[in-house]
Amino acid sequence: MSEDDFNRMHTNLKAILRAVAYANDESKSDRLTGINEEITRSEAVLIKKLTGLNISVPKGEEVIKMGEGIKKLLDDSEREGENKLGALIKALENAGRKDDAFKAASDAEYRQKLYAEFGIE
């Protein structure tokens, strides 16, 4: 579906279909944070099941702006990734493997191998 197709829709189905369309396309996934449609807790659960995106609706709220939920998810994911990388660098430092730390910073495939080697999840 094109952006024009989404814009012609006037139901919450628009936000759900847009999330499905953009979630697995890296070139479009940044558009998810700009989605201003409100979604309910049950719609967030549906999006999670269809896309794997873990959009949370804060306790006490039944409706959120989808873009805000996605932004929080991305922020949390980024923090989690930074913590994971920090743990790897510390483990490499403790092991005296400074060169591996430098390589891990720029080589995602190598970094994944090191995560497995050090048991970092």
Side-chain angles (χ1 to χ4, degrees):
M1 292 181 78
S2 72
E3 194 60 33
D4 287 336
D5 292 330
F6 289 125
N7 289 332
R8 282 192 286 264
M9 300 177 82
H10 299 287
T11 67
N12 285 3
L13 182 59
K14 171 171 59 173
I16 295 166
L17 291 176
R18 190 180 274 150
V20 170
Y22 293 169
N24 295 316
D25 185 338
E26 285 187 30
S27 67
K28 295 180 180 178
S29 61
D30 62 323
R31 294 184 193 175
L32 288 173
T33 59
I35 298 174
N36 290 320
E37 288 93 0
E38 290 185 339
I39 59 171
T40 65
R41 184 178 300 281
S42 60
E43 290 163 343
V45 169
L46 178 60
I47 290 169
K48 179 180 177 179
K49 288 184 185 284
L50 293 173
T51 66
L53 295 172
N54 190 13
I55 303 170
S56 63
V57 178
K59 289 183 179 179
E61 294 183 36
E62 285 300 315
V63 175
I64 62 163
K65 293 256 187 219
M66 184 170 165
E68 291 171 12
I70 295 289
K71 179 154 179 23
K72 182 181 180 324
L73 171 67
L74 295 175
D75 289 347
D76 291 349
S77 178
E78 185 176 312
R79 256 190 314 281
E80 194 174 289
E82 289 173 0
N83 291 341
K84 187 175 176 179
L85 181 58
L88 177 60
I89 290 171
K90 187 170 185 86
L92 289 167
E93 179 184 20
N94 290 340
R97 294 171 59 181
K98 183 172 141 183
D99 290 341
D100 286 331
F102 287 120
K103 185 174 179 182
S106 61
D107 185 335
E109 187 176 321
Y110 187 63
R111 187 169 48 246
Q112 293 305 316
K113 289 177 185 177
L114 291 171
Y115 285 143
E117 179 183 334
F118 285 91
I120 299 171
E121 295 181 19

